[in-house]
């Protein structure tokens, strides 16, 4: 049995990955920014004994460090960096107006976030015979 960590697990692709890995018999660590608000994910975790829901904001160094500490003594076989945002609304991206803060947030989540998570989980990934990390962009 493998341990699979999925970020951005509360909806869409991440939620489907959680369901499929759990159905295959893997232990899944499903990460979401606000686990208390992730109703569908929590329902999946309640029905599948091998799904553990943990808080994670990939743009927050302390949050990523806390995930690393929570998994420090475990072996992680697969890390799926799925958390991401699509960026500011297109109508706010013109020659006259640009949402620079929105783009910085997007860069922080989509580019730096996966690197933060990978660095934090390097020791648990290194314990696996063939640990794998995947980033969905």
């Amino acid at each position: 049995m493998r341990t699979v960590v999925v970020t951005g697990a509360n909806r869409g692709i991440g939620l489907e990955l959680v369901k499929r890995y759990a159905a295959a018999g893997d232990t899944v660590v499903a990460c979401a920014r606000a686990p208390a608000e992730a109703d569908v994910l929590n329902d999946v975790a309640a029905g599948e004994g091998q799904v553990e829901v943990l808080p994670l904001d990939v743009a927050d160094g302390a949050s990523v460090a806390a995930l690393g500490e929570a998994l420090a003594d475990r072996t992680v076989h697969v890390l799926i960096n799925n958390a991401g945002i699509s960026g500011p609304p297109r109508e706010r991206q013109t020659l006259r107006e640009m949402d620079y803060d929105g783009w910085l947030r997007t860069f922080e989540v989509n580019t730096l976030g996966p690197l933060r998570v990978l660095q934090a989980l390097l020791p648990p990934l290194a314990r696996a015979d063939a640990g794998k990390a995947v980033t969905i962009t």
Side-chain angles (χ1 to χ4, degrees), residues 53-71:
V53 180
L54 292 179
L56 176 65
D57 179 346
V58 301
D60 179 350
S63 179
V64 174
L67 177 68
E69 290 172 17
L71 301 178

Side-chain angles (χ1 to χ4, degrees), residues 7 56-69 79 81 104-125 135:
T7 69
L56 176 65
D57 179 346
V58 301
D60 179 350
S63 179
V64 174
L67 177 68
E69 290 172 17
L79 164 63
N81 276 310
L104 285 172
R105 174 76 177 153
T106 302
F107 182 77
E108 191 172 40
V109 170
N110 295 352
T111 304
L112 300 178
L115 292 172
R116 276 189 177 116
V117 175
L118 178 58
Q119 284 181 331
L121 296 186
L122 275 176
L125 279 163
T135 298

